[in-house]
């Protein structure tokens, strides 16, 4: 089968699909749902041709142009110009009463909602500018454009944004003079101030009577004082404004606005558009439940179990167990709860942030649950050590330990209990957790002096009620969700949002598990002791000796019985043929290893270049570091597997170790490419906002960073296909449920085989010992 078809499928699945979905969601959220206008610097301002970025980033008091000897110089005066960057940010429409007799003219103001000045404020946070400089990740872009209403998000992520937006008095207003109509940006507290603090669009054309002016026009807005400036270099910098379209419409001729209103009246369509993360989670859990039922997959194959996860290191069960449902009532109740909680919370967190936290909570709840089981087992072991005189009690304790180790749990309930905690503590009214008892309600209390530290007992009451009504439910699983919910709302213990990003968290947790597991990482040859016994020979010489020994054993001969010349090489033609074959196999191993080292070096170069493009705290840098670590260890393990394959040593332990590392690399590379494509979509959907928030710390422009991102994704894609090919070649793909659910991903094997294809034949025609057939 040709490699073009798998390549197309992979690009569509992990690049174009996330890019398109993210772009459409951000565009809908910004321009259609919230009707935002974005104000940022003009290209000339970015390049520094009009103003030096250091002057712009600081709050300059004022400037005045004076002509002396045909030269223009700049002098300070009192408050003639304010800082230009304070006008950058997001402007949201506010309702405004229309003037009498002008019912067909929409003259809404657009008030500044988010000022991007906070991202370049270096006085209050000396290290924050250096730490967050560069192009943002998808989570950073989502936090920037979202307006979370929950106390958690305000405390942990957007405290500076909220403080700035409350004090902002900048607005975009419609100016209707007798001579011309235009939209202008200025301070709303001084709408009649001088033109030096006003930026206006080009005069609007003469539209027919009855035309409604809906949005300001997008484009370059010049300062009202630019006409009076002596030269272009002394005029205030222009601003780049991006607003929804169309800017006008005529009700008597255009029906598009009525179609938009009809679409907004469809509740199902509105739920999908306004809650895409909840919709995706609903579809994903339902599709998996149907897949499990259709293929008759047993719960034991995907469930969360202490023995399987902790002892046998099947960490993927944390993901499969959380999204598995096998009974109609189970998935019905969970999906109804997810629908209710998603409708309530997704709008406050933002869809992308809500989705990231859902994925992170799957990992966190599983980790807390396994820690609880481990603590319970240790406690029972402690009691068992002190009960040596009662055999019956010892037997009971041992049976209890065995039940804890083998207890299985499935379902999304742990994550739902975490969101239940957040929802409960965000409500202003008391929560009544007991059905049909509306008088039994519990209020939320805050710790004095720490208003963000809230507590409500109703989730714990719901846990015991669920345990009483349905004894089969997982008590520890639900309790783990409650604990994670409190930690998430308080902002304690759980890592920041960038680390919670799936391209960092999932790959990082898996890598940490490999490091903690003995004889996996760091990678060392399992036959190191044999090398020492041979006289501490070099590793390359030792590998060559393994292959030579394998050639002798394949020929069924002993080297002592063979004729040798004075150079120490065999004179037997058949053995020379076998040795040449093994030498070619060794060269094949070297060629494959050279390919892996080249790809590893490319990943290293991209990793070293990433801090100059993205912020040091960005998940884009952290995920690339994780990927580089995976590929480095995987390259070392593959050399051992390929070498031992040509010897008579037992290579199964090496294959198992190599398979674990390459599977982690495959997963990490896939998530990295998906998140990179989503980040790239955010830059193209919101270029004005991203550039305004990043100035003056953006090292390169949009086209340059897009080219760098494409190169980075291509190299990571190469690592992905190589991992798939090596996993198939060594037979270490695994038999987990992900092999069936995401089988299309493993079509990358055909692409990887083309990269690692053999360049030389392993056999030479008519070479070897001949046989006389007759005389």
């Amino acid at each position: 089968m040709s490699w073009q078809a798998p390549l197309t499928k992979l690009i569509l699945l992990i690049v174009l699909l996330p890019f398109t979905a993210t772009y459409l969601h951000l565009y809908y959220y910004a321009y259609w749902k919230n009707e935002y206008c974005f104000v940022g610097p003009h290209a000339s301002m970015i390049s520094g041709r009009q103003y030096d970025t250091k002057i712009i980033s600081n709050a300059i008091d004022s400037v005045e142009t004076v002509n002396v000897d045909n030269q223009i110089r700049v002098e300070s005066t009192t408050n003639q110009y304010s800082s230009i960057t304070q006008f950058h940010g997001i402007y949201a429409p506010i309702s405004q009463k229309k003037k009498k007799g002008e019912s067909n003219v929409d003259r809404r103001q657009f008030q500044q909602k988010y000022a991007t000045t906070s991202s370049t404020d270096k006085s209050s946070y000396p290290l924050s500018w250096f730490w967050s400089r560069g192009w943002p990740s998808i989570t950073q872009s989502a936090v920037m454009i979202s307006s979370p209403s929950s106390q958690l998000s305000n405390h942990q992520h957007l405290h500076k944004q909220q403080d700035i937006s409350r004090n902002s008095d900048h607005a975009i207003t419609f100016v209707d003079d007798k001579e011309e109509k235009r939209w202008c940006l200025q301070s709303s507290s001084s709408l009649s101030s001088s033109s030096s603090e006003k930026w206006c669009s080009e005069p609007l054309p003469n539209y027919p009577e009855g035309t409604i002016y809906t949005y300001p026009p997008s484009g370059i807005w010049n300062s009202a004082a630019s006409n009076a400036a002596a030269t272009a270099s002394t005029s205030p910098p222009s601003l780049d404004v991006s607003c929804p379209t169309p800017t006008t419409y005529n009700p008597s001729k255009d029906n598009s606005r009525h179609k938009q209103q009809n679409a907004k009246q469809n509740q199902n369509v509105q739920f999908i558009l306004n809650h895409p993360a909840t919709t995706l989670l609903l579809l994903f859990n339902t599709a998996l439940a149907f897949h499990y039922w259709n293929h008759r997959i047993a719960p034991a194959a995907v469930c969360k179990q202490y023995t399987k996860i902790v002892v046998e290191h099947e960490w993927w069960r944390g993901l499969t167990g959380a999204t598995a449902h096998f009974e109609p009532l189970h998935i019905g109740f969970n999906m109804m709860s997810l629908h209710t909680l998603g409708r309530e919370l997704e709008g406050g967190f933002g869809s992308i942030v809500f989705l990231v936290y859902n994925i992170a909570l799957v990992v966190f709840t599983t980790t807390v649950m396994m820690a609880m089981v481990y603590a319970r087992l240790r406690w029972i072991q402690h009691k068992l050590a002190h009960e040596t005189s009662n055999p019956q009690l010892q037997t009971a304790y041992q049976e209890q330990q065995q039940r804890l180790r083998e207890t299985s749990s499935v379902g999304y309930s742990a994550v739902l209990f975490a969101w239940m905690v957040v929802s409960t503590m965000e409500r202003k009214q008391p929560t009544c957790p007991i059905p049909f008892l509306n008088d039994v309600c519990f209020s939320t209390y805050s710790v004095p002096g720490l208003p963000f530290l809230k507590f409500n007992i109703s989730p714990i009451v719901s846990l015991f009620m669920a345990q009483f009504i349905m004894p089969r439910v997982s008590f520890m699983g639900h309790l783990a969700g409650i604990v994670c919910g409190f930690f998430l709302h308080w902002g304690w213990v759980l890592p920041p949002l960038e680390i919670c990003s799936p391209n960092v968290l999932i790959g990082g947790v898996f890598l940490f598990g490999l490091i903690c597991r003995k004889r996996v990482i760091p990678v060392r040859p399992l036959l190191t002791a044999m090398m020492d016994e041979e006289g501490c020979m070099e590793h390359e010489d030792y590998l060559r000796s393994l292959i030579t020994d394998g050639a002798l054993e394949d020929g069924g001969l002993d080297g002592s019985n063979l004729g040798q010349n004075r150079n120490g090489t065999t004179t037997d033609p058949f053995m020379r043929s076998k040795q040449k074959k093994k030498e070619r196999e060794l060269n094949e191993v070297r060629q494959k290893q050279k390919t892996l080292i080249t790809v590893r070096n490319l990943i290293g170069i991209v990793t070293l270049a990433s801090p100059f493009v993205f912020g040091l705290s960005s998940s884009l840098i952290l995920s690339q570091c994780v990927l580089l670590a995976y590929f480095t260890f995987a390259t070392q393990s593959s050399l051992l597997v390929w070498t031992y394959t040509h010897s008579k040593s037992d290579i199964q332990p090496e294959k198992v170790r190599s398979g674990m590392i390459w599977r982690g690399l495959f997963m990490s590379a896939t998530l990295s490419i998906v998140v990179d494509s989503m980040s790239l979509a955010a830059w193209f959907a919101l270029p004005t906002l991203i550039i305004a928030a990043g100035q003056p710390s953006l090292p390169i422009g949009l086209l340059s960073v897009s080219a760098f991102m494409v190169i980075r994704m291509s190299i990571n894609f190469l690592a992905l296909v190589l991992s798939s090919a090596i996993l198939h070649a060594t037979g270490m793909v695994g038999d987990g449920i992900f092999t069936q659910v995401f089988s299309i991903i493993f079509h990358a094997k055909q692409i990887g085989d083309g990269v690692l294809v053999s360049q030389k034949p392993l056999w030479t025609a008519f070479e070897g010992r001949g046989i006389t057939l007759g005389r």
Side-chain angles (χ1 to χ4, degrees):
M1 185 177 179
S2 178
W3 56 268
Q4 287 87 351
L7 177 62
T8 304
K9 290 180 181 179
L10 281 175
I11 293 177
L12 288 175
L13 183 64
I14 64 178
V15 178
L16 295 182
L17 181 60
F19 179 91
T20 305
T22 304
Y23 182 90
L24 293 178
H25 164 67
L26 293 177
Y27 188 89
Y28 166 80
Y29 181 87
Y31 292 109
W32 192 356
K33 178 183 177 181
N34 294 296
E35 301 177 306
Y36 287 156
C37 281
F38 301 100
V39 177
H42 182 38
S44 59
M45 181 177 174
I46 298 174
S47 61
R49 289 194 299 268
Q50 291 188 358
Y51 274 102
D52 184 79
T53 54
K54 294 182 179 180
I55 300 177
I56 295 175
S57 60
N58 299 325
I60 57 176
D61 294 332
S62 59
V63 295
E64 179 182 89
T65 58
V66 181
N67 192 344
V68 178
D69 298 332
N70 297 325
Q71 295 182 356
I72 303 297
R73 62 187 180 90
V74 180
E75 295 183 354
S76 299
T77 59
T78 306
N79 296 326
Q80 182 177 354
Y81 290 111
S82 61
S83 178
I84 297 176
T85 56
Q86 65 181 336
F87 290 92
H88 299 168
I90 302 176
Y91 289 76
I94 57 176
S95 59
Q96 178 176 325
K97 294 183 179 180
K98 301 172 183 178
K99 296 181 180 180
K100 185 176 181 180
E102 296 180 349
S103 58
N104 292 333
V105 180
D106 188 356
R107 296 181 173 179
R108 296 178 297 175
Q109 276 193 4
F110 287 77
Q111 190 74 27
Q112 189 179 32
K113 180 181 181 182
Y114 167 48
T116 58
T117 312
S118 60
S119 63
T120 59
D121 185 9
K122 301 185 285 293
S123 59
S124 302
Y125 304 90
L127 297 179
S128 62
W129 173 82
F130 178 76
W131 191 254
S132 61
R133 66 182 298 273
W135 289 85
S137 64
I138 179 59
T139 49
Q140 292 172 331
S141 300
V143 168
M144 193 184 307
I145 194 176
S146 300
S147 178
S149 59
S150 67
Q151 179 264 337
L152 163 71
S153 297
N154 292 340
H155 169 70
Q156 196 171 5
H157 302 297
L158 297 180
H159 55 281
K160 288 186 291 184
Q161 171 181 335
Q162 297 296 326
D163 294 338
I164 292 175
S165 61
R166 284 197 302 264
N167 300 326
S168 175
D169 60 351
H170 303 143
I172 301 176
T173 57
F174 184 82
V175 179
D176 187 1
D177 297 333
K178 295 182 179 180
E179 298 180 355
E180 56 187 15
K181 300 181 179 66
R182 64 176 67 196
W183 292 84
C184 292
L185 168 62
Q186 56 189 336
S187 176
S188 59
S189 61
S190 56
L191 295 180
S192 60
S193 62
S194 63
S195 59
S196 60
E197 295 183 352
K198 180 190 297 185
W199 286 263
C200 295
S201 66
E202 295 294 331
L204 301 177
N206 294 324
Y207 292 105
E209 185 177 357
T211 299
I212 296 179
Y213 300 90
T214 54
Y215 306 111
S218 301
I220 305 303
W221 288 21
N222 298 317
S223 173
S226 60
N227 296 330
T231 62
S233 60
T234 61
S235 63
S238 301
L239 296 178
D240 187 9
V241 180
S242 178
C243 293
T245 55
T247 57
T248 61
Y249 86 99
N250 195 323
S252 60
K253 298 181 180 180
D254 193 356
N255 296 326
S256 60
R257 191 131 182 125
H258 297 287
K259 294 179 181 179
Q260 294 179 6
Q261 294 176 355
N262 293 334
K264 291 183 178 181
Q265 293 175 0
N266 191 318
Q267 296 182 358
N268 295 328
V269 174
Q270 278 300 294
F271 179 83
I272 296 175
L273 295 176
N274 296 331
H275 305 87
T278 303
T279 303
L280 179 62
L281 292 172
L282 289 170
L283 293 176
F284 183 73
N285 281 273
T286 305
L288 278 183
F290 177 77
H291 175 85
Y292 296 154
W293 175 84
N294 192 37
H295 291 79
R296 302 299 187 269
I297 296 176
V302 296
C303 65
K304 291 189 288 187
Q305 188 181 105
Y306 181 85
T307 302
K308 296 291 185 180
I309 295 178
V310 178
V311 180
E312 300 181 12
H313 305 283
E314 295 182 0
W315 299 312
W316 49 265
R317 288 179 176 267
L319 301 176
T320 58
T323 55
H325 302 83
F326 294 92
E327 297 178 359
L329 289 178
H330 189 200
I331 190 173
F333 281 123
N334 279 359
M335 294 304 100
M336 286 190 296
S337 300
L338 177 59
H339 179 274
T340 303
L341 292 170
R343 181 186 291 272
E344 178 182 354
L345 296 175
E346 183 174 345
F349 280 88
S351 298
I352 295 177
V353 177
F354 184 73
L355 179 62
V356 168
Y357 273 131
N358 269 274
I359 299 174
L361 284 174
V362 171
V363 180
F364 294 146
T365 53
T366 302
T367 304
V368 174
M369 179 183 175
M370 294 299 106
M372 290 180 175
V373 176
Y374 175 78
R376 181 63 176 166
L377 290 173
R378 296 295 297 177
W379 173 251
I380 295 176
Q381 185 65 30
H382 175 74
K383 294 193 298 183
L384 186 62
H386 290 77
E387 294 291 342
T388 58
S389 60
N390 192 339
Q392 295 181 352
L393 190 58
Q394 283 187 338
T395 303
Y397 283 152
Q398 291 174 356
E399 292 177 353
Q400 188 177 2
Q401 281 185 323
Q402 190 66 20
R403 285 196 302 270
L404 282 174
R405 292 190 182 98
E406 297 180 356
T407 299
S408 304
S409 64
V410 293
Y412 207 65
S413 305
V415 179
L416 295 177
F417 263 85
W419 288 123
M420 184 188 303
V421 172
V422 176
S423 173
T424 298
M425 291 192 292
E426 287 298 313
R427 295 173 186 168
K428 298 180 180 179
Q429 296 81 12
T431 304
C432 307
I434 304 177
F436 309 110
L437 294 178
N438 297 331
D439 295 334
V440 182
C441 302
F442 303 92
S443 301
T444 301
Y445 299 94
S446 301
V447 177
L450 300 173
F452 65 90
L453 193 61
K454 300 180 180 180
F455 183 80
N456 194 307
I457 199 175
S458 60
I460 302 177
V461 176
S462 299
L463 171 62
F464 284 99
M465 286 297 302
Q467 194 72 26
F468 176 76
I469 298 174
M470 298 173 289
R472 292 178 55 193
V473 300
S474 175
F475 180 81
M476 286 193 176
H478 292 173
L479 182 60
I482 292 177
V483 172
C484 291
F486 279 113
F487 287 159
L488 177 63
H489 191 272
W490 294 341
W492 290 0
V493 180
L494 299 186
L497 180 60
E498 288 301 294
I499 299 181
C500 290
S501 184
N503 60 329
V504 177
L505 181 65
I506 297 178
V509 169
F510 193 84
L511 181 62
F512 179 77
L514 292 179
I515 295 176
C516 294
R517 187 177 179 181
K518 295 181 179 179
R519 302 188 71 182
V520 177
I521 292 178
V523 177
R524 292 184 57 82
L526 298 180
L527 300 180
T528 304
M530 297 179 60
M531 295 169 56
D532 295 337
E533 294 176 359
E534 296 292 336
C536 298
M537 65 176 65
E538 294 294 334
H539 192 212
E540 181 70 18
D541 297 335
Y542 180 70
L543 298 180
R544 180 184 293 273
S545 67
L546 288 177
I547 293 179
T548 303
D549 295 341
L552 295 177
E553 295 182 11
D554 285 343
L557 300 173
D558 187 358
S560 60
N561 298 328
L562 296 177
Q564 295 183 350
N565 56 21
R566 287 179 297 180
N567 296 328
T569 60
T570 179
T571 58
D572 185 88
F574 179 71
M575 286 309 304
R576 285 204 307 268
S577 174
K578 298 292 293 183
Q579 289 179 354
K580 289 181 180 180
K581 171 181 174 293
K582 288 300 181 179
E583 186 66 27
R584 287 192 295 268
E585 291 176 349
L586 179 60
N587 292 333
E588 187 72 19
V589 171
R590 291 169 177 166
Q591 184 64 31
K592 291 181 179 180
Q593 188 71 6
K594 183 178 179 181
T595 302
L596 294 183
I597 293 176
T598 302
V599 176
R600 184 200 63 187
N601 294 338
L602 291 176
I603 296 177
I605 293 174
V606 171
T607 304
L608 293 176
S610 295
F612 297 95
V613 181
F614 315 114
L616 293 180
S617 62
S618 173
S619 62
L620 300 178
I621 293 182
L622 300 177
S623 64
Q624 198 66 24
C625 293
V626 172
L627 189 62
L628 177 61
Y630 270 119
F631 206 92
T632 301
F633 295 132
T635 301
Q636 298 173 358
S637 65
S638 293
L639 174 61
L640 300 176
V641 172
W642 288 334
T643 303
Y644 295 155
T645 300
H646 301 301
S647 68
K648 295 304 179 180
S649 306
D650 183 15
I651 65 170
Q652 189 60 28
E654 285 288 355
K655 281 188 175 182
V656 172
R657 175 174 64 177
S658 177
M660 295 178 64
I661 301 175
W662 281 110
R663 284 195 296 270
L665 171 64
F666 181 88
M667 175 184 59
S668 181
T670 303
L671 294 174
S672 178
I673 294 173
V674 170
V675 175
D676 286 357
S677 61
M678 295 175 67
S679 302
L680 186 62
W683 303 340
F684 278 92
L686 310 169
T688 304
L689 176 65
I690 301 299
I691 294 175
Q695 284 299 315
S697 61
L698 289 182
I700 55 179
L702 178 58
L703 295 180
S704 300
V705 74
S706 301
F708 174 79
M709 185 63 80
V710 171
I711 296 174
R712 167 180 156 132
M713 287 191 294
S714 301
I715 296 175
N716 294 343
F717 188 87
L718 184 59
L720 184 148
V721 298
L722 286 176
S723 63
S724 179
I726 294 174
L727 285 172
H728 281 83
T730 56
M732 289 289 112
V733 176
D735 55 356
I737 190 62
F738 280 144
T739 306
Q740 301 179 24
V741 177
F742 303 112
S743 58
I744 188 174
I745 295 291
F746 289 94
H747 288 167
K749 166 186 177 296
Q750 300 169 3
I751 309 173
D753 289 340
V755 180
L756 295 175
V757 66
S758 176
Q759 301 296 330
K760 295 182 179 180
L762 296 181
W763 293 93
T764 302
F766 307 109
E767 183 180 9
R769 176 181 296 175
I771 300 176
T772 303
L773 298 179
R775 294 183 182 274

